Amino acid sequence: MTAATGWQAIRDAALARLRSGRWAPGTLIPTEAELAAEFGCARATVNRALRDLAAAGYLDRRRKSGTRVVPHPVRKATLTIPVIRKEVEGLGGTYAHVLISRATAVPPTAVRSALGLPADRPLLHLCTLHRADGAAYAHEDRWLNPEAVPGLDRLDLTVTSANEWLVGQVPYTDGRLSLSAAAASPEEARHLGCAPGAALFTVERITWLQRRPITWVRLSYAPGHRLTTDI
Amino acid sequence: MTAATGWQAIRDAALARLRSGRWAPGTLIPTEAELAAEFGCARATVNRALRDLAAAGYLDRRRKSGTRVVPHPVRKATLTIPVIRKEVEGLGGTYAHVLISRATAVPPTAVRSALGLPADRPLLHLCTLHRADGAAYAHEDRWLNPEAVPGLDRLDLTVTSANEWLVGQVPYTDGRLSLSAAAASPEEARHLGCAPGAALFTVERITWLQRRPITWVRLSYAPGHRLTTDI
DNA sequence: TAGTGGTCTAGACCACTAT
DNA sequence: TAGTGGTCTAGACCACTAA
């Protein structure tokens, strides 16, 4: 189970003590120097191990105070958000996408304010259907700021999806990801092949480059979709 | 924006080069030794900085090959999954919970197989409603393995929620988290005050201690709930 | 086989903070 | 002020892997 060496071995040993209750919730554990002596390694090695556990939410480390076992651990789940094509192919499926619509329009208020744009600024509106093995996989509703995305007009979006092109070509400095559930709109229902009002897992993402808004996108996954991670 | 020193300064400098395109997607960046010479620091410091960027999904590091800029970055979103009480209080709300039902029963097949338990094994079934400022916040449907949770029978679950007690008292070694959308069941709708079939954001979690199943739990949040994170 | 990242060490100094 | 974690250094050796 734990065949680690070096700092990972110390991390695992510490984790075992946490799980066994030998280091009880809320209490202080020995100092780095003490543990280094016990394990026969340098203090930096202990530091690396304990930093790892602190980052995972098990320990709370403070200068002078020492290292305390977090009483109510806040576990951190890490979700990887891949390009949809990779997501589908990673599941062994064959990926395809269809550009449903492409238009320039003024976005709804919710989108405009989320991006922090002035009113009446027209954006490029793209709707795309992503398929896995021929079946509908996800519906993408995207608003793009053409000023922030040079080269967009020369792109054939029927070949490369906006999703993938942006990820590969357009850097961003800040982003916000929001997960929620939403009832399928009539259009989503039609494309995803489900009943209107069906519960869809949706991922909304907004990205900025510096303070310049790039894109707002909502992915609505076909019913039954799950995002799973080990914790 | 970037007032860091030490290894964080080097990380930020590298990130700036990634974002500026000076280090283009798919290309190799200089070796640790070269960067250490350029920045006038020890190689270990560069290593720390680049490891951080690799962990964040920007770089792909391989021995012998070198460090390559990931062409299609897979950003990693970190979600913190706190105890519900803390979640509510963190939003400035007043938390309360109500134990709806408590019974010993054989779980549905989906729960049984997810936990890897033999058929006909009875578990403790708890339903709890979590409230924020008096309003329904989330419905909790939980199945507990009494054999794995000593002391459970001596606990007054109307005072401490199972959610919180488990987090504080019962360690686990493995867990799986699953996020999805589901239509509100009649019971959920009644407790959450929404229409049956409404789209609910649901979080399912399974935990094991060693290989012993501890609990299966599904939290169904009131409509409109979002899980947001910066990326 | 050689190049590159991964890690360890022993010591040092710094930064924060409880007292 | 003193204790504890945070980080840096210079060097060393190891582990992996492309050629």
Side-chain angles (χ1 to χ4, degrees):
Chain A
M1 192 73 82
T2 58
T5 58
W7 69 269
Q8 305 183 42
I10 295 175
R11 179 200 58 195
D12 292 348
L15 197 48
R17 293 183 184 185
L18 290 170
R19 289 175 169 163
S20 71
R22 176 169 165 187
W23 288 348
T27 63
L28 285 174
I29 72 171
T31 67
E32 291 187 350
E34 288 167 346
L35 291 171
E38 177 188 342
F39 287 109
C41 66
R43 183 168 75 90
T45 307
V46 174
N47 180 278
R48 175 86 186 266
L50 297 188
R51 243 193 310 117
D52 197 64
L53 291 175
Y58 291 100
L59 299 175
D60 182 27
R61 318 196 71 204
R62 291 188 195 178
R63 288 159 162 149
K64 167 70 176 178
S65 305
T67 300
R68 196 173 290 279
V69 181
V70 172
H72 296 270
V74 176
R75 291 298 180 86
K76 294 180 173 63
T78 300
L79 300 174
T80 57
I81 311 294
V83 178
I84 293 186
R85 179 176 64 77
K86 299 238 172 189
E87 188 177 326
V88 169
E89 292 173 350
L91 294 169
T94 301
Y95 172 77
H97 67 93
V98 182
L99 182 62
I100 298 170
S101 67
R102 172 180 184 151
T104 296
V106 174
T109 308
V111 171
R112 184 181 60 72
S113 66
L115 283 170
L117 280 172
D120 302 332
R121 173 80 62 90
L123 300 180
L124 182 60
H125 186 205
L126 300 171
C127 288
T128 307
L129 182 65
H130 300 272
R131 296 177 181 278
D133 291 329
Y137 186 78
H139 178 270
E140 173 181 327
D141 186 351
R142 181 184 293 274
W143 293 86
L144 263 166
N145 182 5
E147 296 182 9
V149 190
L152 183 63
D153 46 349
R154 295 187 298 278
L155 187 67
D156 183 356
L157 288 170
T158 62
V159 175
T160 304
S161 77
N163 179 289
E164 181 151 4
W165 184 76
L166 284 169
V167 167
Q169 300 299 324
V170 182
Y172 63 93
T173 52
D174 301 281
R176 174 157 298 179
L177 189 73
S178 184
L179 311 176
S180 60
S185 71
E187 180 181 352
E188 287 168 340
R190 188 168 66 250
H191 290 296
L192 293 174
C194 62
L200 302 183
F201 185 68
T202 69
V203 176
E204 287 180 20
R205 192 172 4 179
I206 306 174
T207 52
W208 294 269
L209 177 60
Q210 312 306 341
R211 285 166 187 170
R212 204 178 207 182
I214 299 175
T215 190
W216 176 98
V217 60
R218 170 158 58 197
L219 288 166
S220 300
Y221 287 88
H225 185 79
R226 288 175 168 272
L227 201 53
T228 300
T229 184
D230 290 327
I231 53 177
Chain B
M1 192 71 83
T2 57
T5 59
W7 69 269
Q8 304 182 41
I10 295 175
R11 178 200 59 195
D12 291 347
L15 197 49
R17 294 183 184 185
L18 290 170
R19 288 174 170 162
S20 72
R22 176 167 164 189
W23 288 348
T27 62
L28 285 174
I29 72 172
T31 66
E32 292 187 349
E34 289 167 345
L35 290 171
E38 178 187 343
F39 288 107
C41 66
R43 184 169 73 91
T45 306
V46 174
N47 180 277
R48 176 84 186 265
L50 297 188
R51 243 192 311 116
D52 197 62
L53 290 175
Y58 292 99
L59 298 174
D60 182 27
R61 318 196 72 206
R62 292 189 194 175
R63 287 159 162 152
K64 167 69 178 180
S65 306
T67 299
R68 196 173 289 279
V69 181
V70 172
H72 298 268
V74 176
R75 291 298 180 87
K76 293 178 173 64
T78 300
L79 300 173
T80 56
I81 312 293
V83 178
I84 293 185
R85 179 175 64 77
K86 298 239 172 189
E87 189 176 326
V88 170
E89 292 173 350
L91 295 169
T94 301
Y95 172 77
H97 67 94
V98 182
L99 183 62
I100 299 170
S101 67
R102 173 180 184 151
T104 296
V106 174
T109 308
V111 172
R112 184 181 59 72
S113 67
L115 285 169
L117 279 171
D120 303 333
R121 174 80 62 90
L123 300 180
L124 182 60
H125 186 206
L126 301 171
C127 288
T128 308
L129 182 65
H130 301 271
R131 295 178 181 277
D133 290 330
Y137 186 79
H139 179 269
E140 173 181 327
D141 186 350
R142 182 184 292 275
W143 293 86
L144 262 166
N145 181 5
E147 296 180 8
V149 189
L152 183 63
D153 47 348
R154 294 186 299 278
L155 186 68
D156 183 356
L157 289 170
T158 61
V159 176
T160 304
S161 78
N163 181 290
E164 182 151 3
W165 184 77
L166 284 168
V167 167
Q169 300 299 324
V170 183
Y172 64 92
T173 53
D174 301 281
R176 175 158 296 181
L177 189 74
S178 185
L179 310 176
S180 59
S185 70
E187 181 181 352
E188 287 168 339
R190 189 167 66 247
H191 291 295
L192 293 175
C194 62
L200 302 183
F201 184 67
T202 70
V203 176
E204 287 180 18
R205 193 171 2 178
I206 306 175
T207 52
W208 294 268
L209 178 60
Q210 313 304 342
R211 287 168 186 168
R212 207 178 204 182
I214 300 176
T215 190
W216 176 100
V217 61
R218 171 160 58 198
L219 288 166
S220 300
Y221 288 87
H225 186 79
R226 289 177 167 273
L227 201 52
T228 299
T229 182
D230 290 328
I231 53 178

